[in-house]
Amino acid sequence: MSKQATLSSFFAKPKKSDNQKPADIGGLTKEAEDQDPGHENKKRKLENNSVKGNPVDKLNQRYQFFCDYIDLISIEEVKTIKEPVKKFKELTVGKKEKLSEMKYYSSLCEVLESVESTTKRLEITDIMSNFFKKMIDEGPETLTKCVYLCVNQVAPEYEGIELGVGESIVMKGIASSTGKQLSKVKSEAEKLGDLGTVAMNFRTNQKTLFPMPRLTIDKVFNTFYEISTSSGALSQQKKIDKISSLIVSGSSKEAKYIVRSLEGKLRIGLAEKTVLVALAQAAVFHKAESKGKKASSEELSKASEIIKTVYTQLPSYKILVESLLTHGIKNLQEFCKLVPGIPVKPMLAHPTKSITEVLDRFEGMEFTCEYKYDGERIQIHRLENGQVISFSRNSENTTEKYMDIMSKCDQFLKSGTKTFILDAEAVAWDKEKECILPFQVLSTRKRKDVKESEISVQVCVFVFDILYLNGESLLKKTFNERREIMKSAFISSPGQFEYAISKDLKSVDEIQAFLDESISGNCEGLMIKVLSGEESTYEPSKRSRNWLKVKKDYLDGIGDSLDLVVIGAYIGKGKRTGVYGGFLLACYDPEKEEYQSICKIGTGFSEASLEEFKNTLSAHVIPIPKPYYSYGDATKPDVWFEPVQVWEVKAADLSISPVYKAAIGYVNEEKGISLRFPRFIRLRTDKGPEQATSSEQVAEMFESQNFNSAS
Ligand SMILES: Nc1ncnc2c1ncn2[C@@H]1O[C@H](COP(=O)(O)OP(=O)(O)OP(=O)(O)O)[C@@H](O)[C@H]1O
Ligand SMILES: [Mg+2]
Ligand SMILES: [Mg+2]
């Protein structure tokens, strides 16, 4: 551990055992300070200060004393102060000049505050790009950490390290750092609805005897990282201590953002896309200014496009920022390409409600129809070293879950096939009857601590696309080309590793027959995809109109199911006594960062599932609704939940509602949209709450329903 780290960790936890009152080592009362405008007393104290205790404590305390006043004393003056300061000078000032203002967490917080105070996207982008432009001078490490703090992550999403600790731990951290009772923190939280504000208020009213060293971006990021990665028996207390030390060192404003971050989300209206665009623009501005020029709007929009494309292919801010600063925005695409080992956000499809709708959309284009398998999306990567790993739709590493397939993947390769990225669907497979099993069977497979010998549910992987082969990205190739490359590089094996069944059809009748065939083969319907031309490239992370899904169960209905977040429940009566009788569901509006109520649901549940939800959801009951829940009083549930579960729901249709809030502002300024006859289908473990059906999607579904019924 470096000296710096040892010393700063001292600040994290002031030791009470040294029989020293803070004032003894330099703290002065406010009055004394006022009477000492030249800080003469402080300097004298600094020079004379003597501390008791073991040598390390002494050193630490002296260092702390030194830090208390370093801001008041010029470096020249410091040099004239003799022992004991000399030692600290060697440790700190001698090696490092005072940090630039941009290195402090307060500079970031100021920016976060300005972002929070506006809702105008362009203004937010400007604020951020200005900030990043200055940050570029601080080097790639600080800039990377800054970007991570802005999107509230500590590592790339695919590493699965999440910043966000339980509310109760954050509360304990606030209590211990502000000297308040835990019950007081809780009651304030109930009153104000936001823990960040609670921490801020407590911190504002708190008197500290001497100032703590200022928080740097580095320190905050590193502590967040430690908190996110610590596990084990003592981790709870360690987390509380770390949270507490950050809050103690932070100003009231800093405390607010620290707490918000720890809760898992900043909620200031700063979208990840905006951060990316701002980063691109910052690079352009920085370069232009260094040459004494002005950046053109063309350059700016081109840079934004480049960075967005690059990030979908290589979602790592560290690599992105380093390449950006080393090679410049223009060359970014050359240095940041997709690479096996780093998951790409998969391409998504648009729902349709009839085959004729598909034919209208694809008129004059070459397209193909594939079976739509009902399992779990799987992206299979083979790395340079021969390792085979897989990721979910959500970029979660699922190698362990599918270890049986991954371990024998090499059997399915033709010679010469080395590195690749495949897009596929994993489906439960009945070995004896040689047929596809329903999704429910697949979902019984364990995700963690899997032993290959204990796997009872066999899986067959149906491959439908290839993104990368032997060092080459295939994203820009047409689907026709990709499909040929895919078929030339692998050997299919029935019941284990197959290509998705497909036919290049043209007429409604043919497609209808193929759809029926897919249903008899235990599939959900068809995926219909553009085969050739510019519109047939692979578009990572995009819900593209070049891929259409046709689901048998939703034809002539609303076209697709919805994935909704459970935000509340109603106490069960009669047969449902003891469990929840119904639930309040919401869609998500990423622009407003809020969950909007869309329907009550009480149908589609088995007794067992109601028991299960009672157990799992009870752990997430919150006393009052989150400030980012939008709901009408008429639908107020008996209990509120944290947004943790996503349910797939089927509905008869959508209607305008004065009570529900979904997609408010899209179709009607005051009214929302609600689901009629909603029915629970299944729990989605592969989607997080923010990946629930968005308000925009709800509005689109509503509009397409009305368009079709009108025509
Ligand atoms: N041949 C195929 N081509 C592409 N995707 C397929 C195919 N067969 C099955 N799928 C699966 O179908 C999914 C798309 O339809 P589905 O309604 O199941 O999506 P979802 O996971 O609910 O996501 P969303 O509704 O947000 O699009 C793909 O993500 C993929 O997992
Ligand atoms: Mg599916
Ligand atoms: Mg869906």
Side-chain angles (χ1 to χ4, degrees):
M1 209 192 280
S2 70
K3 271 178 187 151
Q4 204 64 39
T6 327
L7 290 167
S8 55
S9 59
F10 171 80
F11 290 109
K13 229 179 155 183
K15 289 198 181 123
K16 291 216 180 87
S17 57
D18 301 321
N19 297 329
Q20 291 264 333
K21 282 189 222 98
D24 293 343
I25 53 168
L28 292 177
T29 61
K30 179 93 182 43
E31 283 155 18
E33 250 184 56
D34 289 342
Q35 287 164 10
D36 184 24
H39 310 300
E40 288 311 316
N41 285 339
K42 281 178 189 168
K43 285 183 208 166
R44 211 169 311 121
K45 275 207 163 205
L46 186 58
E47 205 165 344
N48 299 334
N49 114 72
S50 65
V51 276
K52 299 180 190 98
N54 68 46
V56 175
D57 286 346
K58 269 187 176 177
L59 202 63
N60 275 330
Q61 289 186 359
R62 285 172 177 175
Y63 176 72
Q64 178 161 352
F65 184 64
F66 178 76
C67 286
D68 289 347
Y69 296 111
I70 185 71
D71 286 338
L72 304 174
I73 305 166
S74 73
I75 292 188
E76 282 315 305
E77 278 179 293
V78 167
K79 285 183 190 152
T80 66
I81 300 172
K82 297 179 209 98
E83 292 285 345
V85 172
K86 223 168 128 195
K87 271 224 167 61
F88 307 122
K89 202 173 70 191
E90 284 161 18
L91 279 173
T92 58
V93 182
K95 290 195 182 126
K96 242 197 247 166
E97 289 293 291
K98 221 179 128 191
L99 292 180
S100 101
E101 196 53 34
M102 295 303 284
K103 286 258 197 274
Y104 290 105
Y105 183 57
S106 55
S107 69
L108 174 63
C109 288
E110 263 164 45
V111 166
L112 298 179
E113 199 178 36
S114 330
V115 169
E116 194 175 1
S117 69
T118 174
T119 50
K120 296 194 190 99
R121 181 150 311 280
L122 284 181
E123 205 175 303
I124 295 177
T125 313
D126 279 352
I127 296 169
M128 291 313 299
S129 67
N130 245 317
F131 175 63
F132 287 146
K133 188 185 75 192
K134 290 185 208 148
M135 270 298 164
I136 288 177
D137 293 328
E138 303 300 324
E141 198 186 325
T142 309
L143 180 58
T144 304
K145 288 180 177 174
C146 242
V147 171
Y148 270 127
L149 290 174
C150 289
V151 296
N152 219 43
Q153 292 177 10
V154 287
E157 202 185 313
Y158 59 84
E159 284 186 14
I161 303 171
E162 269 179 40
L163 174 57
V165 292
E167 197 173 75
S168 69
I169 294 187
V170 181
M171 284 186 177
K172 283 178 191 158
I174 297 175
S176 92
S177 56
T178 55
K180 302 276 182 204
Q181 298 278 339
L182 186 59
S183 55
K184 178 80 182 151
V185 178
K186 279 186 184 157
S187 63
E188 272 312 280
E190 279 180 33
K191 209 159 75 194
L192 298 171
D194 171 39
L195 267 182
T197 313
V198 174
M200 179 169 78
N201 293 352
F202 284 174
R203 209 58 197 80
T204 311
N205 300 326
Q206 191 178 19
K207 292 190 181 56
T208 38
L209 280 165
F210 50 82
M212 295 298 282
R214 293 171 65 194
L215 287 173
T216 58
I217 285 168
D218 214 54
K219 168 82 182 167
V220 174
F221 178 89
N222 294 350
T223 313
F224 280 172
Y225 188 86
E226 287 160 17
I227 291 171
S228 315
T229 49
S230 74
S231 59
L234 295 172
S235 76
Q236 275 239 10
Q237 192 51 47
K238 274 192 206 147
K239 282 182 190 175
I240 296 169
D241 291 346
K242 288 203 159 93
I243 294 169
S244 166
S245 83
L246 282 180
I247 298 175
V248 163
S249 305
S251 65
S252 55
K253 195 191 293 174
E254 289 170 323
K256 170 173 140 185
Y257 291 112
I258 287 166
V259 166
R260 291 258 190 100
S261 282
L262 290 165
E263 285 188 296
K265 202 137 171 60
L266 284 170
R267 304 204 173 276
I268 54 170
L270 182 57
E272 193 163 356
K273 263 218 181 89
T274 313
V275 172
L276 274 174
V277 168
L279 195 58
Q281 301 199 345
V284 174
F285 284 132
H286 193 269
K287 193 169 168 210
E289 276 177 25
S290 71
K291 290 184 177 168
K293 288 196 205 147
K294 280 214 148 157
S296 73
S297 60
E298 202 186 358
E299 268 178 294
L300 291 171
S301 67
K302 204 168 150 206
S304 308
E305 281 317 305
I306 292 177
I307 212 163
K308 280 194 270 182
T309 310
V310 164
Y311 188 72
T312 60
Q313 297 177 24
L314 193 69
S316 160
Y317 286 116
K318 187 168 184 291
I319 304 176
L320 192 76
V321 166
E322 273 166 11
S323 306
L324 186 65
L325 299 200
T326 323
H327 308 294
I329 186 92
K330 273 202 189 123
N331 304 312
L332 205 57
Q333 270 161 312
E334 217 175 291
F335 290 93
C336 295
K337 285 192 180 139
L338 79 167
V339 47
I342 299 186
V344 179
K345 282 270 163 66
M347 180 164 169
L348 302 171
H350 246 273
T352 52
K353 303 191 307 170
S354 66
I355 294 169
T356 47
E357 188 186 336
V358 174
L359 291 177
D360 285 349
R361 159 76 185 104
F362 287 163
E363 204 188 323
M365 296 164 104
E366 223 189 325
F367 61 88
T368 189
C369 308
E370 292 174 352
Y371 275 17
K372 183 179 186 308
Y373 298 90
D374 190 10
E376 185 181 38
R377 190 89 175 242
I378 183 170
Q379 200 174 82
I380 307 172
H381 293 227
R382 191 172 190 272
L383 282 52
E384 208 65 68
N385 64 8
Q387 204 188 345
V388 182
I389 55 178
S390 71
F391 296 96
S392 71
R393 170 201 158 101
N394 231 352
S395 302
E396 226 180 299
N397 191 318
T398 52
T399 315
E400 201 176 332
K401 180 173 179 184
Y402 295 112
M403 61 157 57
D404 45 340
I405 291 286
M406 297 304 120
S407 65
K408 59 182 173 213
C409 192
D410 282 4
Q411 292 174 22
F412 314 127
L413 314 185
K414 286 207 179 137
S415 68
T417 301
K418 297 266 178 316
T419 54
F420 58 78
I421 302 176
L422 286 178
D423 199 355
E425 185 88 347
V427 180
W429 181 260
D430 187 326
K431 251 204 283 197
E432 263 113 64
K433 297 196 187 114
E434 296 190 340
C435 68
I436 289 171
L437 290 168
F439 173 83
Q440 276 69 15
V441 180
L442 181 74
S443 66
T444 59
R445 259 174 95 109
K446 273 173 80 175
R447 288 198 286 176
K448 295 264 153 63
D449 306 320
V450 185
K451 286 201 190 85
E452 200 172 335
S453 57
E454 288 170 9
I455 293 177
S456 55
V457 177
Q458 164 135 1
V459 158
C460 179
V461 167
F462 288 92
V463 183
F464 51 78
D465 215 324
I466 184 163
L467 283 57
Y468 183 98
L469 181 67
N470 294 340
E472 196 196 344
S473 163
L474 307 175
L475 298 178
K476 290 279 166 245
K477 297 225 181 281
T478 65
F479 184 36
N480 218 347
E481 290 166 329
R482 294 201 306 278
R483 202 165 62 168
E484 267 173 31
I485 294 172
M486 172 177 88
K487 292 196 174 166
S488 69
F490 297 87
I491 308 161
S492 72
S493 162
Q496 298 190 82
F497 186 94
E498 298 189 36
Y499 296 119
I501 295 176
S502 73
K503 275 187 185 166
D504 305 348
L505 305 168
K506 298 217 160 47
S507 73
V508 175
D509 291 348
E510 285 172 321
I511 299 173
Q512 182 63 52
F514 193 48
L515 174 66
D516 295 338
E517 204 184 289
S518 82
I519 301 297
S520 350
N522 286 344
C523 288
E524 259 185 303
L526 298 178
M527 292 290 284
I528 307 185
K529 304 174 178 176
V530 181
L531 249 191
S532 59
E534 268 175 28
E535 286 176 85
S536 72
T537 58
Y538 192 94
E539 304 168 86
S541 84
K542 195 163 168 203
R543 188 175 297 282
S544 168
R545 289 192 186 269
N546 302 324
W547 278 21
L548 300 179
K549 51 184 175 188
V550 179
K551 290 193 187 180
K552 175 87 174 174
D553 285 355
Y554 298 91
L555 288 178
D556 302 319
I558 57 172
D560 201 359
S561 56
L562 292 96
D563 300 310
L564 303 168
V565 185
V566 195
I567 59 168
Y570 307 89
I571 305 292
K573 291 184 198 119
K575 265 193 185 168
R576 291 195 176 165
T577 306
V579 292
Y580 297 124
F583 303 86
L584 181 63
L585 302 182
C587 65
Y588 184 63
D589 187 331
E591 294 272 320
K592 295 189 185 147
E593 295 186 300
E594 67 180 22
Y595 295 92
Q596 301 170 332
S597 65
I598 188 165
C599 67
K600 283 187 195 174
I601 188 170
T603 317
F605 303 99
S606 65
E607 268 176 41
S609 61
L610 285 175
E611 275 300 328
E612 187 197 321
F613 293 143
K614 171 80 189 173
N615 293 334
T616 50
L617 288 167
S618 294
H620 299 284
V621 170
I622 44 176
I624 50 159
K626 297 279 181 192
Y628 45 87
Y629 285 178
S630 173
Y631 61 96
D633 280 339
T635 57
K636 222 169 146 197
D638 300 316
V639 284
W640 292 100
F641 302 122
E642 286 186 89
V644 283
Q645 277 193 8
V646 178
W647 291 355
E648 186 173 352
V649 168
K650 192 176 169 171
D653 54 39
L654 302 116
S655 59
I656 291 280
S657 157
V659 188
Y660 292 97
K661 305 288 178 185
I664 201 161
Y666 276 93
V667 179
N668 185 298
E669 279 313 310
E670 277 118 48
K671 293 178 185 165
I673 292 171
S674 78
L675 299 186
R676 296 212 312 146
F677 306 116
R679 187 179 178 82
F680 172 81
I681 307 176
R682 66 191 180 202
L683 170 69
R684 288 206 63 152
T685 50
D686 62 336
K687 273 194 174 185
E690 285 175 28
Q691 284 149 343
T693 302
S694 67
S695 309
E696 194 180 356
Q697 278 176 285
V698 172
E700 254 180 48
M701 279 176 138
F702 176 81
E703 266 156 10
S704 107
Q705 158 191 298
N706 287 11
F707 173 78
N708 279 30
S709 57
S711 63

